[in-house]
């Protein structure tokens, strides 16, 4: 499963790309406001960090299809070919997805809470569908199960429309979907860091080191060849 960084915090994005096997960045309007910068200022900074060939997802705000299509055109012009325009899957959004899919592609259907929305967005020509796992849980439904059902629907689109599972609160939700074989998930950097937080791992590594030190009387690393 491809792991995408759900953030506009440029320091965290830098760190994620330095340490972790991540493949892109997603943003939404709320995430952009948290950066404290103007939208295109931070988006261009992110594009500079990840380079022109890495996927960047940017959301529209328009309320009708014409406005959304216009925003999509500007987003593509400002941020380049490998920018996916996130369009909320509403009635106007579906109209806009159909138009944008014909004109330039690279569309992510977002704010997906149901299998029906996912189906319509895929049929309209979206490249990615972004179900909101945790927000679905918050509605007292099962976000992972809804996402698995969407995955089954996307199986009929022969790879044309792929999953970009979104909105996670914990590692368990992410890994359940990895087990199910979903194509990609966008995850907050703090949750990505938590994937490695495990006291047993730290204790095991400390014990290996302590065994070497007690046997050879010095802090060993395997560059000591004599
Ligand atoms: C994708 O980019 C979505 O906008 C995002 O994952 C939503 O996450 P949240 O529910 O934690 O706000």
């Amino acid at each position: 499963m491809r792991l995408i960084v759900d953030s506009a915090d440029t320091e965290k994005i830098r760190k994620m790309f330095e340490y972790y096997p991540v493949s892109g960045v997603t943003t939404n309007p709320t995430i952009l406001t948290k950066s404290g910068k103007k939208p295109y200022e931070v988006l261009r900074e992110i594009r500079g960090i990840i380079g022109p060939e890495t996927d960047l997802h940017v959301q529209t705000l328009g309320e009708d299809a014409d406005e959304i299509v216009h925003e999509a055109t500007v987003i593509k012009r400002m941020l380049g070919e490998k920018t996916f325009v996130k369009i909320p899957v509403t009635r106007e959004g579906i109209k806009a997805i159909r138009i944008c899919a014909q004109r330039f592609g690279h569309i992510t259907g977002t704010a997906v809470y149901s299998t029906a929305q996912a189906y319509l967005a895929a049929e309209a020509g979206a490249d990615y569908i972004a179900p909101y796992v945790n927000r679905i849980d918050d509605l007292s439904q099962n976000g992972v199960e809804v996402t698995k059902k969407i995955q089954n629907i996307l199986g009929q689109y022969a790879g044309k429309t792929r999953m970009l599972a979104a909105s996670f609160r914990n590692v368990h939700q992410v890994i359940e979907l990895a087990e199910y074989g979903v194509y990609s998930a966008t995850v907050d950097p703090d949750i990505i860091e938590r994937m490695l937080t495990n006291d047993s791992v730290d204790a095991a590594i400390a014990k290996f080191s302590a065994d070497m030190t007690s046997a050879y009387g010095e802090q060993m690393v395997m560059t000591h060849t004599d």
Side-chain angles (χ1 to χ4, degrees):
M1 181 175 77
R2 292 170 88 228
L3 187 57
I4 312 296
V5 181
D6 200 20
S7 178
D9 181 323
T10 50
E11 278 323 300
K12 286 184 179 176
I13 291 170
R14 253 185 245 283
K15 192 170 170 198
M16 287 292 117
F17 276 76
E18 183 181 355
Y19 284 92
Y20 291 93
V22 293
S23 313
V25 172
T26 56
T27 62
N28 66 31
T30 306
I31 287 173
L32 289 181
T33 59
K34 285 183 192 156
S35 75
K37 299 171 188 166
K38 288 190 171 175
Y40 282 107
E41 181 190 355
V42 67
L43 287 166
R44 292 183 103 150
E45 220 178 303
I46 294 169
R47 176 52 86 208
I49 294 167
I50 67 178
E53 296 302 323
T54 303
D55 294 352
L56 172 63
H57 298 249
V58 178
Q59 193 164 322
T60 57
L61 286 156
E63 287 179 9
D64 66 55
D66 288 344
E67 205 176 355
I68 295 169
V69 172
H70 187 216
E71 282 179 286
T73 311
V74 174
I75 289 169
K76 298 286 290 178
R77 193 182 71 229
M78 293 289 287
L79 298 164
E81 158 90 24
K82 293 285 178 149
T83 306
F84 285 78
V85 180
K86 290 173 72 181
I87 300 178
V89 182
T90 58
R91 195 164 76 121
E92 292 296 324
I94 286 291
K95 181 177 173 187
I97 289 170
R98 293 177 66 207
I99 297 167
C100 292
Q102 294 269 328
R103 288 197 190 162
F104 39 72
H106 289 81
I107 306 302
T108 300
T110 195
V112 170
Y113 286 76
S114 72
T115 48
Q117 274 179 295
Y119 159 70
L120 277 179
E123 195 64 18
D127 300 276
Y128 284 106
I129 303 293
Y132 282 6
V133 175
N134 197 62
R135 296 195 198 195
I136 296 171
D137 278 1
D138 285 345
L139 296 175
S140 133
Q141 293 177 51
N142 187 324
V144 165
E145 290 308 317
V146 170
T147 304
K148 287 179 178 176
K149 285 184 180 176
I150 292 172
Q151 172 82 353
N152 296 341
I153 292 171
L154 297 188
Q156 295 164 34
Y157 287 84
K160 158 77 183 97
T161 305
R162 290 166 158 168
M163 182 75 79
L164 175 61
S167 179
F168 292 98
R169 187 163 295 157
N170 59 57
V171 174
H172 181 69
Q173 292 166 325
V174 179
I175 299 305
E176 259 204 87
L177 292 178
E179 279 176 18
Y180 199 69
V182 314
Y183 182 74
S184 59
T186 184
V187 182
D188 182 280
D190 295 344
I191 298 176
I192 295 175
E193 295 275 14
R194 267 188 258 147
M195 288 183 181
L196 294 180
T197 308
N198 185 327
D199 290 346
S200 302
V201 175
D202 295 343
I205 292 164
K207 174 77 167 58
F208 289 137
S209 202
D211 286 349
M212 279 293 218
T213 306
S214 78
Y216 301 108
E218 58 174 322
Q219 185 76 32
M220 285 287 284
V221 285
M222 296 307 286
T223 49
H224 294 197
T225 54
D226 51 329

